[in-house]
Amino acid sequence: MTIILALASAIAFGAGDFCGGAATRRSDDLKVLLASLPAGLCLLLPVAVFTGHWHAAQLAWGAIAGLAGGGGLLVFYRALAMGPMSVVAPVSGLMAAVVPAAVGIARGDRLSLTMAAGIVLCLIAICFVSIERGSGPVRLTGGPVLAALAGTSFGLFFVILKLGDDGTLWPLAASKVSGLAVVVVVALAKRRGPLALVRDRATFGIALLAGSLDMLGNTLYVLAARAGVLSVAGVLSSLYPASTVLLARLVYGERLRPVQRVGLLIAVVGVGLVTTG
């Protein structure tokens, strides 16, 4: 059941990321987040009510997770706006897979030789996929670098949310509230009021869909992590770049350079080893 839930989570995350990237190409990334995050939260709260009573300690864990998740979303959407999705999504996904795998192992999850080899391959793949055109130095504000930072934040989000799991969806709800608060603070700091939403109806609709799919992915991840071990649920849920890349190819016709294709191939092998190890 863990594998099924985690893979379903990855599909939802990937589709949501694609919609988020599509919206940021049509509008400002902060405006998209200010539309998508409340949409997901509105869908989650009624469901959380039926999952049980909230506990203060677990809400605190959820809020802390949301700080990591909200910050990661800010960086990730900026990376998506810089594009291409077919590079940004894999880099973030690999980092999001490595963090929970490492923490899960440290907490007692068994690490086979196969899984260790897979994690090493994932790190090598990041180097290949992150190579941009040109021979200049890697920019700290470049899309792949931002994607790696975002993926690390997502990985921390997965870990902290697992630590705060109490059998309900209230910790997840708390994480989304604090994540939204991070985005609002950044928007205010940039002199953009929290109501500065997307004006275009089509873009607004895409942003709402992105938030809904992201919330579905989060909920499925919580259920997957609850049913199994962190290292498995975290890594499988981090396979979301597959659907993002597929949609980017179908809709935008994005193409990868040979070195990046090699990186993605290494990534597939690496993540495959991690999940089967």
Side-chain angles (χ1 to χ4, degrees), residues 67-82:
L67 296 179
L73 280 175
L74 282 170
V75 178
F76 184 66
Y77 271 54
R78 171 56 58 184
L80 284 175
M82 299 172 67

Side-chain angles (χ1 to χ4, degrees), residues 30 42 65 191 213 222:
L30 274 175
C42 288
R191 298 182 180 180
L213 288 169
V222 169

Side-chain angles (χ1 to χ4, degrees), residues 28-39:
D28 179 78
D29 54 336
L30 274 175
K31 291 182 178 180
V32 171
L33 284 171
L34 287 169
S36 64
L37 289 178

Side-chain angles (χ1 to χ4, degrees), residues 168-220:
T168 73
L169 292 179
W170 285 114
L172 178 60
S175 74
K176 292 306 174 182
V177 171
S178 64
L180 177 59
V182 170
V183 176
V184 170
V185 168
V186 172
L188 291 174
K190 292 188 174 183
R191 298 182 180 180
R192 300 175 190 173
L195 297 180
L197 301 179
V198 178
R199 302 297 181 184
D200 177 65
R201 290 184 178 180
T203 305
F204 185 69
I206 296 173
L208 294 182
L209 181 58
S212 301
L213 288 169
D214 178 72
M215 186 57 66
L216 176 60
N218 278 284
T219 302
L220 290 170

Side-chain angles (χ1 to χ4, degrees), residues 212-245:
S212 301
L213 288 169
D214 178 72
M215 186 57 66
L216 176 60
N218 278 284
T219 302
L220 290 170
Y221 162 75
V222 169
L223 297 177
R226 187 176 297 163
V229 296
L230 174 63
S231 56
V232 174
V235 171
L236 289 179
S237 295
S238 299
L239 292 175
Y240 61 82
S243 53
T244 304
V245 170

Side-chain angles (χ1 to χ4, degrees), residues 241-274:
S243 53
T244 304
V245 170
L246 178 59
L247 288 170
R249 281 183 172 274
L250 293 175
V251 177
Y252 295 117
E254 291 186 359
R255 294 293 183 268
L256 299 177
R257 290 178 293 122
V259 66
Q260 293 171 323
R261 292 177 183 175
V262 171
L264 284 180
L265 179 60
I266 296 174
V268 170
V269 175
V271 175
L273 290 176
V274 171

